[in-house]
Amino acid sequence: MVPIEHVTALSAALFTIGVIGVLVRRNLIVILMSVELMLNAVNLAFVGFNRVWAGTTEQPLLDGHVFVLMVITVAAAEVAVGLGIVIALVRNRDSVNIEDVSILRW
Amino acid sequence: MTVESVLFYAFAGLSLLSALAMVGFVRNVVAGAMSLVVTMISLAGIYVLLEAHLVAVIQIMVYAGAILVLFLFVIMLLNLRSDDFGPVRPWQGVLKVVGAAVALGIFVVLLGVLPDTLPEVAELPEGFGGFRVIGVSLFTDYVVPVEVAGFLLLAAIVGAVILAKRSID
């Protein structure tokens, strides 16, 4: 079995790549995909920790897996609404560049 | 090295590489989306190695099957070819370096926070990560969150339809 520290390190690395994508890229769709990547990194940490604290046969602990299912549900909802906003934005501004929607930015 | 660890490190490298490619493919958004599919599928492989079989199946069905298809569908619908946004401000490059540095700082903090040594489980409970155990858990301990998730999905469907409609009647 792989040490769980390596799983959590991989999770941290993937989360970092997601943060870089959100901070560095200017394409709204790529930013949404980077957010998905960060959610996946968190899911990986949940599954890894649940592998360590798995409980007993009488009382298995599956909270990590259930949390992952919830996160996936929220991610699906987020993508549906986010891409709806992207479509509305392209219809109004004809662009997916976040520099074009900076009115609320200081 | 056992087969398990070889597979784990192969999947881990593949997911890291494809995630970097997703962030790095500046010219082609579709290529970025396809790289994200590779990340999701390698993560599903890692979930199988961590005995999370149901989560691995859901990961492939929902992420690689539904969410990424939605992304590709929108990219195709909007006919986005490249990310080549016109003139950039002169200090844009500096800002990108600052952003990447902040993210790497977050990585260092994360690695510092993560525990160094974790207990190793000798044996797993019977049926761990399978449909039956998680299903029982979902419909007993977690029945309220499941219902709330259902409402969330309904709200998201309605919201997405309203947002993407051409005009609200």
Side-chain angles (χ1 to χ4, degrees):
Chain A
M1 186 54 220
V2 183
I4 295 297
E5 295 86 49
H6 294 188
V7 177
T8 51
L10 172 66
S11 161
L14 285 175
F15 190 86
T16 309
I17 296 173
V19 173
I20 291 178
V22 170
L23 290 180
V24 170
R25 298 298 301 271
R26 288 183 298 155
N27 188 324
L28 203 47
I29 292 186
V30 177
I31 290 178
L32 273 175
M33 291 198 288
S34 302
V35 171
E36 292 305 311
L37 188 61
M38 287 154 77
L39 288 169
N40 266 280
V42 174
N43 285 350
L44 181 61
F46 269 128
V47 171
F49 283 126
N50 203 158
R51 176 69 179 76
V52 176
W53 287 283
T56 58
T57 303
E58 293 78 44
Q59 194 163 23
L61 294 173
L62 287 150
D63 306 63
H65 291 190
V66 174
F67 258 84
V68 169
L69 296 184
M70 293 297 158
V71 170
I72 290 178
T73 311
V74 173
E78 172 231 317
V79 164
V81 174
L83 289 176
I85 293 175
V86 170
I87 289 179
L89 185 72
V90 169
R91 203 166 277 151
N92 286 317
R93 296 282 173 92
D94 199 23
S95 162
V96 286
N97 187 348
I98 51 163
E99 307 262 331
D100 293 338
V101 277
S102 56
I103 294 173
L104 276 178
R105 196 174 65 183
W106 52 275
Chain B
M1 271 176 103
T2 59
V3 181
E4 269 191 352
S5 46
V6 170
L7 277 176
F8 172 79
Y9 292 115
F11 278 133
L14 194 61
S15 64
L16 280 177
L17 275 181
S18 53
L20 280 173
M22 191 269 288
V23 174
F25 268 129
V26 179
R27 299 272 162 255
N28 197 338
V29 189
V30 178
M34 295 319 284
S35 315
L36 196 57
V37 175
V38 176
T39 312
M40 303 297 178
I41 291 175
S42 6
L43 280 180
I46 292 177
Y47 292 160
V48 171
L49 293 176
L50 291 169
E51 311 285 339
H53 302 291
L54 177 65
V55 173
V57 172
I58 302 271
Q59 167 90 1
I60 291 203
M61 283 201 312
V62 175
Y63 264 117
I67 293 183
L68 263 303
V69 169
L70 200 58
F71 270 112
L72 286 172
F73 194 66
V74 168
I75 294 169
M76 191 186 71
L77 196 69
L78 302 180
N79 213 2
L80 301 171
R81 285 218 182 71
S82 76
D83 200 28
D84 215 1
F85 298 140
V88 292
R89 279 170 287 167
W91 29 278
Q92 200 91 44
V94 181
L95 279 186
K96 285 192 175 182
V97 173
V98 170
V102 167
L104 287 179
I106 291 176
F107 181 55
V108 171
V109 171
L110 276 179
L111 280 188
V113 167
L114 289 172
D116 290 333
T117 47
L118 288 166
E120 179 72 44
V121 268
E123 59 187 82
L124 280 171
E126 202 180 322
F128 178 80
F131 290 81
R132 174 186 287 273
V133 203
I134 294 182
V136 167
S137 183
L138 275 178
F139 285 104
T140 53
D141 297 338
Y142 290 98
V143 69
V144 177
V146 167
E147 296 297 331
V148 173
F151 274 109
L152 176 75
L153 284 175
L154 178 64
I157 293 169
V158 176
V161 169
I162 296 286
L163 278 170
K165 244 173 109 163
R166 203 164 283 276
S167 65
I168 298 166
D169 306 314

